[in-house]
Each structure stands twice: as C-alpha cells, then as structure tokens.
Amino acid sequence: MKRKQATLESIWIKKPKTNEPTENESVAAFSSPVPLAPSVTSTNDISVYARQHGKLTDEERDTLLSTDWKPSEKHMYKKTQFGKTSRTFQSSWLQKYPGLVYSVEEDGAYCFMSVRTNNAPVNKQVDAALQARRKKNAVVLESITKTVLLCARQNIALRGHSDSSKYYDDESVNCGNFQSLIEFRVESGDSVLKEHFATCGKNATYRSPTIQNELLDIMGQTVERKVVNEIKTGGKFYCVSADEVRDIGNVEQLAVCVRFIDESDKIREEFLRFVDVSPDTSGEALSQAILDVLTDVGLDPSMMRSQCYDGAGNMTGKTKGVGPRIQHQYPRALPFWCTAHKLNRCVVHASNSTLVRNMMGTVDRIAVFFNYSPRRQTCLAECRAAMEVTESKRQKIKSLCRTRWVERHDALEVFIDFLPAMVEAMSQLMENETKSTTSAEISGFLMAITGFQFIAVLVIVTRCLSYIKPFTVALQGRSVDVVKAMSQVSVVQQALQEVRDNIDTYHNTWFQEVSTIADNLGVQPSQPRLCGRQTKRDNIEAATPELYYKRNLTIPFVDTFVNEMDTRFSDLQTKAAMGLKLIPEQMCASPVSASDLEWFIDDLPSPQSLPAELHLWQARWKGVTNPPTTLQGAVEQCDSQLYPNIYTVLSIECVFPVTSCECERSISALGLVKTKLRTSMGQDRLSALCLLSVHRDIDINICNVVREFARKHPRRMDLPDILSEL
C-alpha cells in the first residue's frame, strides 16, 4: 500500500510502530506511520533507516548524515488526489528547508537532525532551536527598527517605485531608501543581517511593508505615551490647541497639540496627532474629533483648562465654533484666540487703506516677476552688484506672506534695499525685451515703483510695522506665558501711542527718508491730484506732499492700529490679570486676596487654607531683591508641598495659551512628511511618521519596540525569515 503525500501544513514527528524512540534517535518522519514496503526498497532510501529500531551504529549515523537524500532533478513525484484536485511534493521545499529529505519509496518527507554531540530528547532540541531562532530574529528586527527610525526621524521615504522583492534584481528599478539602507548596513559590517541574507535569501528578506507599518505604529504610540505620562506627572492640567490644513493629498488634516508644565515645572507645547477631518469640518465635527483624540491617548478632558485656536469661524464662532462647544461640555476649558492671529487682524484693518493695498499689491507682483524667472533674477543680481551695495544676506526679493501680515515687514525691508537695483534692472530688461506684452508689464512696474506715492507709502508703512516685529518674534516661543505676552502687548501699545502723540516728529523723520530715496532715483516729491467730487481715494486737502501723507496715511494707519489693539487684546488682559497678582514682583506692589482667585477655587486642593497661604507667599518675597517677574519663574520658585494652592493656581495660569504656533510648526512637519511622492500613505502611518519627526528629542528604546512587536506577533518571531510575507 502506497503512502499518500504529506504536505508541509500537516507534517509531524513520525512515531515508530513499536517501542519508544531512545534519546539518540536521529531520524524522525514528518508523516504518520505507513506499512513497510516490499523488499524491493533501495538501500539508499531514507526510509530504510527510519524503520530501524534502537540505536544506530556510528557507521550508520555517518552514512545518514553524509548522504544526499534528494531525488534526481528528473524524478517524477507521485500525485495524490485530494477531492477534485491533485497535489504533489515540491522539489523547491528541499532547497528552502535544508533539514528536509525525501523518501522515494514512501513518497513522503522526513526531517533529520545531527545528534552526534547532542543527546537531548528531540522535543528539547526543537525547543532550543526555536529559542535560538527567536533570539536571532530579535537581533535582526533591531537592525530593521533602527533603519525605520532613521528614515522617520529624517523625513526619508521608506518605499521605492516598486516595493516588491521580484524587482530587486532589476537595477533599473528604485527599490526605496529602506532597502538601500539595509544593504548599506550590511556593507558597513552588520554581521547579523549579512548572515540573515545568506540564510534566507535577498528576495525573501526585503518584503516587509507590513513590518514597517507595525514598527512605526509601535514607535508612534511610544512617543504618545511618553508625552501623556509627562502631562500626568506634571501639573496634570493642560491646554489644547488645534489648527486645520489641507495637505498635499487634498485631505483636511487637524493638528492637535497640548500645552502643559512638566515634572520640572517647565512650560512645554507638544504635538499629539493628525486627524483626518475631510468628511466634515464643521465646529461640531472638529470639537468631537479633538475630544476623541484626548480620550484615545488617555487624557481626561475634565482636566483641560484652556483652548487655543485661530480666528476661523468654525474654530472661534461664538455659538457653533469649536471653543464654545467644548466649553459647553467642560466649562473650565477657557477658549483663547491665538495672539499672533489677533495681531495679524490688527495689521489687516490698519492696512485697509487704498494707498496701502495698492503698494502691497505692487510689491507682491514685482517679487513674482523677478523670482520666477532665472534670467530676470540674474539681471537684478548683476545690477545690485554693480552698484557696490553693502553685501547682504538677502540675494533675492521676498514675496509677501499671504497668511501672516506681520511677517510682511521683512519683505518690505528687503524691497526697500533692492529698490535702486530693481529700477536699473527693469530699464535693462525693457530695452532687451521683444514681446510687447512683457515690455508693457515691465513699463507698468517701472512707472509704479518710481512714483513718489509708492515710495512714501512703502517707507512709512514699513517703519510703522517695525514696532510689532520684535513682539511677533517673541510670540513664536513655546514657553511664553499669558502674563508675559500681555506685558509685551502693553509695551507695543504704549510705543504706538507715543508715536501718535508725537506724530509730527516721527512723520518728519520718515518723510526725510522717503525724500532721500526719491532723490537717489531722480523722483520729485508730489501728491495725487485732488478734486471735490472724488470718493474712491484719500483726498484730505494738504498744502505740501509731507502734510498730505501725514494726514492721509501716517495718522490713519497709526490710529487704526492702536484702536484695534485696544479692542482685540482686552479679553487677554482680563485672563492675564487672574494670575498677574500672584507673581512676586507684582504682589509686592499690590497685595492679593482670596477673592481675587475665585475662578480657581474648584481646582484648589485645600481652599480653606488659601488665605493663610497667600499671607505666607507674600511674606516669602517681602524684601527680596530681584523676585520672579514671570509665571514661569514664579512656579519654579513655588514649593508645591508648602504652597499647594498657590502652586495649583500658577500651574493653571502657565497652561493658558498665547498662540497656536505649535500647531503650525506641526503642519510644517506634515509638509515634509507627506510630499507629492508620498500622498497615498494611510492616516496611521502618517501620524506615526509625524510624531517621530516632530519629537526627535524623545528617546526610543529599540529593545522595548522589539519586545512589543514580539508580543503582538509571536508566530512571526518563529519564522526562519521574519521579514517574509505570511
């Protein structure tokens, strides 16, 4: 009776018919016992040794281990019928599994092991071999994890054009950075990977997109857990900020960030996650998405004490915006409007004059005219060099920022610096231009920038915006607190008010600069023609050009700016005043009482002792020179054991936000991760890559990542090739 073929899925250790195998048994069958074959059996068949009972002699063992138990290449394997299909033994199995041998007589597979120096039972030998394979796979996985982490940290795409092993022998196909870095590790001396390649083969080893995603997910979750743990071990209170953007793949992404104080009492802002909100960007959907993120990462929304968003209607709308909706569920989560966006709105309203709009439009179009043509840019650079202008870091003019008007100050400064060279470059370009449309465009630009009105508006607006430039830079910091921001706002307001009170002096200085630039360009001071019936132009009568621009430009611009800042920053003053009184420098000048901190009562650990703590806090700083002047300094100097209530108040005040700049920094990282060549990546992969890119300072324990992977995929760790597709 012939034995049916044993498939790899159904093989097990063959047991002899009689007697139990001894410890030195060296042959085990993968299939169940079969009747002995007739005497025509070849003496070179493995089944001859398999039927022997008891111990083998040394000569027989040497024969067993040294003989090649493989049929010839022309051998026709028998077919076995399974239902409607027939199956046969595959010769490729003998190449893939070195310990596998074939019996022609029984048409079955056997597995043999060397026991010359190992007398342990077969089951123990199998278990030891499995443990050794797991350890080897863990070391291989460590090398793979380091490579994936490197690509994520440096924003390097892992995949190539054809990320499949069948293309790896084709040198014309880009197999991706991941595979190239793996090969580079081998060439640089990674002996573990080199041995793995030699054992499993190149093609089988590289098929690992599934493992890449799993490792990225584990590392991304590790970063999230560390950020959340730092929030919980710090002040426990936090602020949420969010910003919406459309990425390169036309997907609406919501960046969610948190602001908190860590265990060392440092104010920090950290990115949490990107959320796909393409189906619905209403205030209701965005607010629910934010709360879902907080719950998913393990943060209690009831510990949220503030929110920060930009001025979009779905974010800060009074009734249906994200801020009011979340505050309705969690009343202590105060909504804040990003200070940088408020300042931006002040500039927008101050620049709502026809003179200012026309000037900025001309600057923007000229920047595009030069920057998008190498020939024109070269001509401009040559003209600038020929004028022997002092060497500057700027080599080209700068386009106006479309979202942050306060950032336009730099662009206007550069434009003033390049103005003489631009006039000369346009003159040369117009002489050599053959197309009539382009020549007309250059002529229009040249006429615009050599007009006295353009020069006057350019210089005066630039000098006015210079007052808010330092404030804009200060707002970009992560550790700036609401009290410090309010003090900086007050400084800007005071300075602009002094300009308004002494407008004659300041305008005279600025107009002298205008006259100097105009004189260098051969432009005569002038003012627009006025008539009694015109309504679309600033037409306040003036006897001289200087007086005209003071009345129609400088005074309206400064007045609008001051009024807008007074109106838009009044809410920030109210919220900043809650913590201002606990800062030692302010407290020494104006004592604080328990009634001043009524908003914080529900969060205090022992409200009854608050009056006594305030007395102790005042006594602590009485007569001290150089007391802390900011919330950050105050909370660092506050002993949480001695002043638990005051420490709680300061902790909450520290998480009150100033700007949503951390969200915008995260969005910048999104632009580096999701590029035109990587638009098809999934949301989980995108968030993990962004987390690893943004949080470069958070250490990733490679061994812990490998252990987590092994816990989730124990069967894969037992495979001969851990990176092969299952």
Side-chain angles (χ1 to χ4, degrees), residues 66-96:
S66 59
T67 303
D68 183 11
W69 304 99
K70 298 178 182 178
S72 64
E73 296 180 356
K74 298 181 179 180
H75 180 75
M76 300 296 293
Y77 294 97
K78 297 179 181 179
K79 294 184 178 180
T80 305
Q81 196 71 22
F82 287 90
K84 296 181 179 181
T85 61
S86 59
R87 298 180 181 177
T88 182
F89 188 88
Q90 302 294 323
S91 60
S92 60
W93 294 346
L94 298 174
Q95 302 294 332
K96 188 173 183 180

PDB file of all heavy atoms in Angstrom, residues 66-96:
ATOM      1  N   SER A  66      25.803  12.065   6.011  1.00  0.00           N
ATOM      2  CA  SER A  66      26.627  12.476   4.878  1.00  0.00           C
ATOM      3  C   SER A  66      25.972  12.212   3.523  1.00  0.00           C
ATOM      4  O   SER A  66      26.439  12.715   2.507  1.00  0.00           O
ATOM      5  CB  SER A  66      27.989  11.763   4.923  1.00  0.00           C
ATOM      6  OG  SER A  66      27.795  10.357   4.879  1.00  0.00           O
ATOM      7  N   THR A  67      24.915  11.445   3.500  1.00  0.00           N
ATOM      8  CA  THR A  67      24.275  11.101   2.229  1.00  0.00           C
ATOM      9  C   THR A  67      23.307  12.204   1.809  1.00  0.00           C
ATOM     10  O   THR A  67      22.603  12.778   2.639  1.00  0.00           O
ATOM     11  CB  THR A  67      23.516   9.764   2.358  1.00  0.00           C
ATOM     12  OG1 THR A  67      24.431   8.753   2.785  1.00  0.00           O
ATOM     13  CG2 THR A  67      22.894   9.360   1.020  1.00  0.00           C
ATOM     14  N   ASP A  68      23.281  12.484   0.536  1.00  0.00           N
ATOM     15  CA  ASP A  68      22.356  13.488  -0.014  1.00  0.00           C
ATOM     16  C   ASP A  68      21.032  12.794  -0.322  1.00  0.00           C
ATOM     17  O   ASP A  68      20.903  12.087  -1.314  1.00  0.00           O
ATOM     18  CB  ASP A  68      22.938  14.096  -1.286  1.00  0.00           C
ATOM     19  CG  ASP A  68      22.035  15.194  -1.833  1.00  0.00           C
ATOM     20  OD1 ASP A  68      21.101  15.601  -1.110  1.00  0.00           O
ATOM     21  OD2 ASP A  68      22.268  15.636  -2.973  1.00  0.00           O
ATOM     22  N   TRP A  69      20.052  12.980   0.557  1.00  0.00           N
ATOM     23  CA  TRP A  69      18.771  12.269   0.426  1.00  0.00           C
ATOM     24  C   TRP A  69      17.821  13.064  -0.471  1.00  0.00           C
ATOM     25  O   TRP A  69      16.736  13.460  -0.065  1.00  0.00           O
ATOM     26  CB  TRP A  69      18.143  12.055   1.807  1.00  0.00           C
ATOM     27  CG  TRP A  69      19.030  11.337   2.760  1.00  0.00           C
ATOM     28  CD1 TRP A  69      19.793  11.886   3.715  1.00  0.00           C
ATOM     29  CD2 TRP A  69      19.238   9.938   2.818  1.00  0.00           C
ATOM     30  NE1 TRP A  69      20.499  10.923   4.395  1.00  0.00           N
ATOM     31  CE2 TRP A  69      20.162   9.705   3.857  1.00  0.00           C
ATOM     32  CE3 TRP A  69      18.747   8.844   2.094  1.00  0.00           C
ATOM     33  CZ2 TRP A  69      20.599   8.432   4.190  1.00  0.00           C
ATOM     34  CZ3 TRP A  69      19.168   7.571   2.434  1.00  0.00           C
ATOM     35  CH2 TRP A  69      20.097   7.375   3.470  1.00  0.00           C
ATOM     36  N   LYS A  70      18.231  13.316  -1.654  1.00  0.00           N
ATOM     37  CA  LYS A  70      17.399  14.068  -2.582  1.00  0.00           C
ATOM     38  C   LYS A  70      17.324  13.324  -3.905  1.00  0.00           C
ATOM     39  O   LYS A  70      18.342  12.845  -4.411  1.00  0.00           O
ATOM     40  CB  LYS A  70      17.962  15.473  -2.812  1.00  0.00           C
ATOM     41  CG  LYS A  70      18.013  16.312  -1.547  1.00  0.00           C
ATOM     42  CD  LYS A  70      18.621  17.684  -1.830  1.00  0.00           C
ATOM     43  CE  LYS A  70      18.703  18.495  -0.549  1.00  0.00           C
ATOM     44  NZ  LYS A  70      19.330  19.822  -0.769  1.00  0.00           N
ATOM     45  N   PRO A  71      16.128  13.225  -4.479  1.00  0.00           N
ATOM     46  CA  PRO A  71      15.995  12.555  -5.787  1.00  0.00           C
ATOM     47  C   PRO A  71      16.694  13.364  -6.869  1.00  0.00           C
ATOM     48  O   PRO A  71      17.047  14.529  -6.675  1.00  0.00           O
ATOM     49  CB  PRO A  71      14.474  12.526  -6.016  1.00  0.00           C
ATOM     50  CG  PRO A  71      13.862  12.853  -4.695  1.00  0.00           C
ATOM     51  CD  PRO A  71      14.853  13.675  -3.948  1.00  0.00           C
ATOM     52  N   SER A  72      16.876  12.748  -8.023  1.00  0.00           N
ATOM     53  CA  SER A  72      17.479  13.456  -9.148  1.00  0.00           C
ATOM     54  C   SER A  72      16.515  14.521  -9.662  1.00  0.00           C
ATOM     55  O   SER A  72      15.316  14.518  -9.352  1.00  0.00           O
ATOM     56  CB  SER A  72      17.813  12.473 -10.280  1.00  0.00           C
ATOM     57  OG  SER A  72      16.623  11.892 -10.783  1.00  0.00           O
ATOM     58  N   GLU A  73      17.057  15.454 -10.446  1.00  0.00           N
ATOM     59  CA  GLU A  73      16.233  16.535 -10.969  1.00  0.00           C
ATOM     60  C   GLU A  73      15.138  16.025 -11.894  1.00  0.00           C
ATOM     61  O   GLU A  73      14.112  16.691 -12.078  1.00  0.00           O
ATOM     62  CB  GLU A  73      17.115  17.543 -11.708  1.00  0.00           C
ATOM     63  CG  GLU A  73      18.120  18.237 -10.810  1.00  0.00           C
ATOM     64  CD  GLU A  73      18.961  19.230 -11.580  1.00  0.00           C
ATOM     65  OE1 GLU A  73      18.788  19.291 -12.812  1.00  0.00           O
ATOM     66  OE2 GLU A  73      19.792  19.922 -10.953  1.00  0.00           O
ATOM     67  N   LYS A  74      15.346  14.838 -12.507  1.00  0.00           N
ATOM     68  CA  LYS A  74      14.366  14.300 -13.445  1.00  0.00           C
ATOM     69  C   LYS A  74      13.315  13.434 -12.757  1.00  0.00           C
ATOM     70  O   LYS A  74      12.444  12.860 -13.425  1.00  0.00           O
ATOM     71  CB  LYS A  74      15.074  13.466 -14.519  1.00  0.00           C
ATOM     72  CG  LYS A  74      16.059  14.271 -15.365  1.00  0.00           C
ATOM     73  CD  LYS A  74      16.703  13.405 -16.421  1.00  0.00           C
ATOM     74  CE  LYS A  74      17.681  14.201 -17.280  1.00  0.00           C
ATOM     75  NZ  LYS A  74      18.312  13.354 -18.319  1.00  0.00           N
ATOM     76  N   HIS A  75      13.380  13.324 -11.441  1.00  0.00           N
ATOM     77  CA  HIS A  75      12.440  12.458 -10.727  1.00  0.00           C
ATOM     78  C   HIS A  75      11.019  12.988 -10.851  1.00  0.00           C
ATOM     79  O   HIS A  75      10.776  14.192 -10.690  1.00  0.00           O
ATOM     80  CB  HIS A  75      12.833  12.362  -9.251  1.00  0.00           C
ATOM     81  CG  HIS A  75      11.903  11.486  -8.457  1.00  0.00           C
ATOM     82  ND1 HIS A  75      11.925  10.116  -8.539  1.00  0.00           N
ATOM     83  CD2 HIS A  75      10.909  11.812  -7.583  1.00  0.00           C
ATOM     84  CE1 HIS A  75      10.996   9.608  -7.745  1.00  0.00           C
ATOM     85  NE2 HIS A  75      10.366  10.632  -7.154  1.00  0.00           N
ATOM     86  N   MET A  76      10.096  12.112 -11.155  1.00  0.00           N
ATOM     87  CA  MET A  76       8.689  12.476 -11.265  1.00  0.00           C
ATOM     88  C   MET A  76       7.992  12.143  -9.952  1.00  0.00           C
ATOM     89  O   MET A  76       7.843  10.966  -9.593  1.00  0.00           O
ATOM     90  CB  MET A  76       8.026  11.710 -12.424  1.00  0.00           C
ATOM     91  CG  MET A  76       8.671  11.981 -13.776  1.00  0.00           C
ATOM     92  SD  MET A  76       8.475  13.713 -14.265  1.00  0.00           S
ATOM     93  CE  MET A  76       6.713  13.732 -14.506  1.00  0.00           C
ATOM     94  N   TYR A  77       7.595  13.146  -9.240  1.00  0.00           N
ATOM     95  CA  TYR A  77       6.928  12.942  -7.956  1.00  0.00           C
ATOM     96  C   TYR A  77       5.504  12.463  -8.184  1.00  0.00           C
ATOM     97  O   TYR A  77       4.805  12.919  -9.111  1.00  0.00           O
ATOM     98  CB  TYR A  77       6.914  14.241  -7.148  1.00  0.00           C
ATOM     99  CG  TYR A  77       8.291  14.699  -6.723  1.00  0.00           C
ATOM    100  CD1 TYR A  77       8.982  15.647  -7.463  1.00  0.00           C
ATOM    101  CD2 TYR A  77       8.897  14.163  -5.598  1.00  0.00           C
ATOM    102  CE1 TYR A  77      10.248  16.067  -7.087  1.00  0.00           C
ATOM    103  CE2 TYR A  77      10.159  14.575  -5.207  1.00  0.00           C
ATOM    104  CZ  TYR A  77      10.842  15.525  -5.956  1.00  0.00           C
ATOM    105  OH  TYR A  77      12.097  15.931  -5.572  1.00  0.00           O
ATOM    106  N   LYS A  78       5.074  11.564  -7.319  1.00  0.00           N
ATOM    107  CA  LYS A  78       3.742  10.983  -7.455  1.00  0.00           C
ATOM    108  C   LYS A  78       2.676  12.013  -7.087  1.00  0.00           C
ATOM    109  O   LYS A  78       2.866  12.849  -6.222  1.00  0.00           O
ATOM    110  CB  LYS A  78       3.608   9.756  -6.549  1.00  0.00           C
ATOM    111  CG  LYS A  78       4.566   8.639  -6.917  1.00  0.00           C
ATOM    112  CD  LYS A  78       4.402   7.466  -5.979  1.00  0.00           C
ATOM    113  CE  LYS A  78       5.380   6.350  -6.328  1.00  0.00           C
ATOM    114  NZ  LYS A  78       5.238   5.202  -5.404  1.00  0.00           N
ATOM    115  N   LYS A  79       1.551  11.925  -7.758  1.00  0.00           N
ATOM    116  CA  LYS A  79       0.425  12.809  -7.485  1.00  0.00           C
ATOM    117  C   LYS A  79      -0.592  12.099  -6.610  1.00  0.00           C
ATOM    118  O   LYS A  79      -0.872  10.915  -6.802  1.00  0.00           O
ATOM    119  CB  LYS A  79      -0.239  13.271  -8.782  1.00  0.00           C
ATOM    120  CG  LYS A  79       0.632  14.156  -9.655  1.00  0.00           C
ATOM    121  CD  LYS A  79      -0.132  14.638 -10.868  1.00  0.00           C
ATOM    122  CE  LYS A  79       0.735  15.557 -11.718  1.00  0.00           C
ATOM    123  NZ  LYS A  79       0.002  16.055 -12.915  1.00  0.00           N
ATOM    124  N   THR A  80      -1.136  12.810  -5.670  1.00  0.00           N
ATOM    125  CA  THR A  80      -2.145  12.280  -4.756  1.00  0.00           C
ATOM    126  C   THR A  80      -3.420  13.072  -4.932  1.00  0.00           C
ATOM    127  O   THR A  80      -3.398  14.311  -4.944  1.00  0.00           O
ATOM    128  CB  THR A  80      -1.672  12.366  -3.293  1.00  0.00           C
ATOM    129  OG1 THR A  80      -0.416  11.695  -3.183  1.00  0.00           O
ATOM    130  CG2 THR A  80      -2.685  11.739  -2.355  1.00  0.00           C
ATOM    131  N   GLN A  81      -4.527  12.369  -5.056  1.00  0.00           N
ATOM    132  CA  GLN A  81      -5.797  13.033  -5.298  1.00  0.00           C
ATOM    133  C   GLN A  81      -6.409  13.498  -3.983  1.00  0.00           C
ATOM    134  O   GLN A  81      -6.548  12.735  -3.027  1.00  0.00           O
ATOM    135  CB  GLN A  81      -6.760  12.070  -6.014  1.00  0.00           C
ATOM    136  CG  GLN A  81      -7.956  12.752  -6.650  1.00  0.00           C
ATOM    137  CD  GLN A  81      -7.560  13.560  -7.872  1.00  0.00           C
ATOM    138  OE1 GLN A  81      -6.524  13.296  -8.466  1.00  0.00           O
ATOM    139  NE2 GLN A  81      -8.397  14.526  -8.230  1.00  0.00           N
ATOM    140  N   PHE A  82      -6.775  14.794  -3.921  1.00  0.00           N
ATOM    141  CA  PHE A  82      -7.484  15.371  -2.790  1.00  0.00           C
ATOM    142  C   PHE A  82      -8.770  16.000  -3.324  1.00  0.00           C
ATOM    143  O   PHE A  82      -8.771  17.144  -3.795  1.00  0.00           O
ATOM    144  CB  PHE A  82      -6.636  16.442  -2.088  1.00  0.00           C
ATOM    145  CG  PHE A  82      -5.497  15.884  -1.301  1.00  0.00           C
ATOM    146  CD1 PHE A  82      -4.261  15.699  -1.894  1.00  0.00           C
ATOM    147  CD2 PHE A  82      -5.657  15.523   0.028  1.00  0.00           C
ATOM    148  CE1 PHE A  82      -3.203  15.192  -1.185  1.00  0.00           C
ATOM    149  CE2 PHE A  82      -4.599  15.008   0.738  1.00  0.00           C
ATOM    150  CZ  PHE A  82      -3.362  14.830   0.142  1.00  0.00           C
ATOM    151  N   GLY A  83      -9.858  15.242  -3.263  1.00  0.00           N
ATOM    152  CA  GLY A  83     -11.105  15.751  -3.809  1.00  0.00           C
ATOM    153  C   GLY A  83     -11.004  15.873  -5.317  1.00  0.00           C
ATOM    154  O   GLY A  83     -10.691  14.926  -6.033  1.00  0.00           O
ATOM    155  N   LYS A  84     -11.234  17.073  -5.822  1.00  0.00           N
ATOM    156  CA  LYS A  84     -11.177  17.319  -7.257  1.00  0.00           C
ATOM    157  C   LYS A  84      -9.801  17.761  -7.720  1.00  0.00           C
ATOM    158  O   LYS A  84      -9.581  17.972  -8.908  1.00  0.00           O
ATOM    159  CB  LYS A  84     -12.209  18.383  -7.646  1.00  0.00           C
ATOM    160  CG  LYS A  84     -13.642  17.947  -7.392  1.00  0.00           C
ATOM    161  CD  LYS A  84     -14.617  19.046  -7.836  1.00  0.00           C
ATOM    162  CE  LYS A  84     -16.052  18.611  -7.601  1.00  0.00           C
ATOM    163  NZ  LYS A  84     -17.019  19.653  -8.047  1.00  0.00           N
ATOM    164  N   THR A  85      -8.900  17.975  -6.771  1.00  0.00           N
ATOM    165  CA  THR A  85      -7.559  18.430  -7.138  1.00  0.00           C
ATOM    166  C   THR A  85      -6.530  17.380  -6.784  1.00  0.00           C
ATOM    167  O   THR A  85      -6.753  16.520  -5.915  1.00  0.00           O
ATOM    168  CB  THR A  85      -7.216  19.737  -6.417  1.00  0.00           C
ATOM    169  OG1 THR A  85      -7.242  19.506  -4.994  1.00  0.00           O
ATOM    170  CG2 THR A  85      -8.219  20.827  -6.750  1.00  0.00           C
ATOM    171  N   SER A  86      -5.389  17.449  -7.421  1.00  0.00           N
ATOM    172  CA  SER A  86      -4.278  16.540  -7.140  1.00  0.00           C
ATOM    173  C   SER A  86      -3.071  17.354  -6.703  1.00  0.00           C
ATOM    174  O   SER A  86      -2.824  18.444  -7.232  1.00  0.00           O
ATOM    175  CB  SER A  86      -3.930  15.722  -8.384  1.00  0.00           C
ATOM    176  OG  SER A  86      -3.578  16.574  -9.456  1.00  0.00           O
ATOM    177  N   ARG A  87      -2.341  16.834  -5.745  1.00  0.00           N
ATOM    178  CA  ARG A  87      -1.178  17.530  -5.219  1.00  0.00           C
ATOM    179  C   ARG A  87       0.034  16.624  -5.308  1.00  0.00           C
ATOM    180  O   ARG A  87      -0.071  15.395  -5.314  1.00  0.00           O
ATOM    181  CB  ARG A  87      -1.403  17.965  -3.770  1.00  0.00           C
ATOM    182  CG  ARG A  87      -2.557  18.944  -3.607  1.00  0.00           C
ATOM    183  CD  ARG A  87      -2.740  19.336  -2.160  1.00  0.00           C
ATOM    184  NE  ARG A  87      -3.857  20.248  -1.986  1.00  0.00           N
ATOM    185  CZ  ARG A  87      -4.266  20.701  -0.798  1.00  0.00           C
ATOM    186  NH1 ARG A  87      -3.639  20.319   0.302  1.00  0.00           N
ATOM    187  NH2 ARG A  87      -5.293  21.515  -0.738  1.00  0.00           N
ATOM    188  N   THR A  88       1.211  17.269  -5.309  1.00  0.00           N
ATOM    189  CA  THR A  88       2.454  16.521  -5.392  1.00  0.00           C
ATOM    190  C   THR A  88       3.515  17.214  -4.564  1.00  0.00           C
ATOM    191  O   THR A  88       3.408  18.410  -4.256  1.00  0.00           O
ATOM    192  CB  THR A  88       2.924  16.405  -6.851  1.00  0.00           C
ATOM    193  OG1 THR A  88       4.124  15.631  -6.889  1.00  0.00           O
ATOM    194  CG2 THR A  88       3.207  17.779  -7.434  1.00  0.00           C
ATOM    195  N   PHE A  89       4.520  16.455  -4.159  1.00  0.00           N
ATOM    196  CA  PHE A  89       5.642  17.031  -3.409  1.00  0.00           C
ATOM    197  C   PHE A  89       6.400  18.026  -4.299  1.00  0.00           C
ATOM    198  O   PHE A  89       6.572  17.790  -5.494  1.00  0.00           O
ATOM    199  CB  PHE A  89       6.570  15.908  -2.956  1.00  0.00           C
ATOM    200  CG  PHE A  89       7.653  16.356  -2.019  1.00  0.00           C
ATOM    201  CD1 PHE A  89       7.447  16.401  -0.652  1.00  0.00           C
ATOM    202  CD2 PHE A  89       8.893  16.737  -2.522  1.00  0.00           C
ATOM    203  CE1 PHE A  89       8.445  16.805   0.205  1.00  0.00           C
ATOM    204  CE2 PHE A  89       9.895  17.165  -1.671  1.00  0.00           C
ATOM    205  CZ  PHE A  89       9.665  17.197  -0.300  1.00  0.00           C
ATOM    206  N   GLN A  90       6.834  19.155  -3.709  1.00  0.00           N
ATOM    207  CA  GLN A  90       7.535  20.200  -4.449  1.00  0.00           C
ATOM    208  C   GLN A  90       9.039  20.108  -4.194  1.00  0.00           C
ATOM    209  O   GLN A  90       9.474  20.115  -3.038  1.00  0.00           O
ATOM    210  CB  GLN A  90       7.027  21.589  -4.039  1.00  0.00           C
ATOM    211  CG  GLN A  90       5.537  21.781  -4.242  1.00  0.00           C
ATOM    212  CD  GLN A  90       5.166  21.736  -5.710  1.00  0.00           C
ATOM    213  OE1 GLN A  90       5.911  22.230  -6.561  1.00  0.00           O
ATOM    214  NE2 GLN A  90       4.016  21.135  -6.006  1.00  0.00           N
ATOM    215  N   SER A  91       9.807  20.035  -5.237  1.00  0.00           N
ATOM    216  CA  SER A  91      11.262  19.947  -5.078  1.00  0.00           C
ATOM    217  C   SER A  91      11.846  21.222  -4.461  1.00  0.00           C
ATOM    218  O   SER A  91      12.914  21.190  -3.856  1.00  0.00           O
ATOM    219  CB  SER A  91      11.923  19.672  -6.435  1.00  0.00           C
ATOM    220  OG  SER A  91      11.616  20.718  -7.351  1.00  0.00           O
ATOM    221  N   SER A  92      11.136  22.370  -4.617  1.00  0.00           N
ATOM    222  CA  SER A  92      11.642  23.624  -4.049  1.00  0.00           C
ATOM    223  C   SER A  92      11.682  23.588  -2.534  1.00  0.00           C
ATOM    224  O   SER A  92      12.434  24.325  -1.897  1.00  0.00           O
ATOM    225  CB  SER A  92      10.774  24.800  -4.516  1.00  0.00           C
ATOM    226  OG  SER A  92       9.428  24.626  -4.099  1.00  0.00           O
ATOM    227  N   TRP A  93      10.851  22.690  -1.939  1.00  0.00           N
ATOM    228  CA  TRP A  93      10.865  22.596  -0.474  1.00  0.00           C
ATOM    229  C   TRP A  93      12.221  22.092   0.025  1.00  0.00           C
ATOM    230  O   TRP A  93      12.671  22.462   1.106  1.00  0.00           O
ATOM    231  CB  TRP A  93       9.759  21.655  -0.008  1.00  0.00           C
ATOM    232  CG  TRP A  93       8.374  22.193  -0.293  1.00  0.00           C
ATOM    233  CD1 TRP A  93       8.049  23.458  -0.651  1.00  0.00           C
ATOM    234  CD2 TRP A  93       7.147  21.454  -0.282  1.00  0.00           C
ATOM    235  NE1 TRP A  93       6.698  23.575  -0.840  1.00  0.00           N
ATOM    236  CE2 TRP A  93       6.105  22.358  -0.617  1.00  0.00           C
ATOM    237  CE3 TRP A  93       6.807  20.123  -0.008  1.00  0.00           C
ATOM    238  CZ2 TRP A  93       4.769  21.970  -0.687  1.00  0.00           C
ATOM    239  CZ3 TRP A  93       5.479  19.735  -0.065  1.00  0.00           C
ATOM    240  CH2 TRP A  93       4.463  20.643  -0.410  1.00  0.00           C
ATOM    241  N   LEU A  94      12.844  21.240  -0.747  1.00  0.00           N
ATOM    242  CA  LEU A  94      14.136  20.707  -0.335  1.00  0.00           C
ATOM    243  C   LEU A  94      15.205  21.794  -0.311  1.00  0.00           C
ATOM    244  O   LEU A  94      16.153  21.736   0.484  1.00  0.00           O
ATOM    245  CB  LEU A  94      14.556  19.571  -1.282  1.00  0.00           C
ATOM    246  CG  LEU A  94      13.615  18.358  -1.312  1.00  0.00           C
ATOM    247  CD1 LEU A  94      14.077  17.377  -2.388  1.00  0.00           C
ATOM    248  CD2 LEU A  94      13.566  17.680   0.055  1.00  0.00           C
ATOM    249  N   GLN A  95      15.070  22.807  -1.204  1.00  0.00           N
ATOM    250  CA  GLN A  95      16.025  23.909  -1.219  1.00  0.00           C
ATOM    251  C   GLN A  95      15.730  24.915  -0.102  1.00  0.00           C
ATOM    252  O   GLN A  95      16.639  25.483   0.501  1.00  0.00           O
ATOM    253  CB  GLN A  95      15.967  24.618  -2.587  1.00  0.00           C
ATOM    254  CG  GLN A  95      16.253  23.718  -3.765  1.00  0.00           C
ATOM    255  CD  GLN A  95      17.693  23.226  -3.763  1.00  0.00           C
ATOM    256  OE1 GLN A  95      18.596  23.889  -3.250  1.00  0.00           O
ATOM    257  NE2 GLN A  95      17.906  22.043  -4.346  1.00  0.00           N
ATOM    258  N   LYS A  96      14.458  25.128   0.172  1.00  0.00           N
ATOM    259  CA  LYS A  96      14.066  26.135   1.161  1.00  0.00           C
ATOM    260  C   LYS A  96      14.309  25.661   2.588  1.00  0.00           C
ATOM    261  O   LYS A  96      14.679  26.459   3.462  1.00  0.00           O
ATOM    262  CB  LYS A  96      12.586  26.487   0.962  1.00  0.00           C
ATOM    263  CG  LYS A  96      12.124  27.668   1.803  1.00  0.00           C
ATOM    264  CD  LYS A  96      10.702  28.063   1.438  1.00  0.00           C
ATOM    265  CE  LYS A  96      10.276  29.300   2.227  1.00  0.00           C
ATOM    266  NZ  LYS A  96       8.890  29.714   1.884  1.00  0.00           N
TER     267      LYS A  96
END
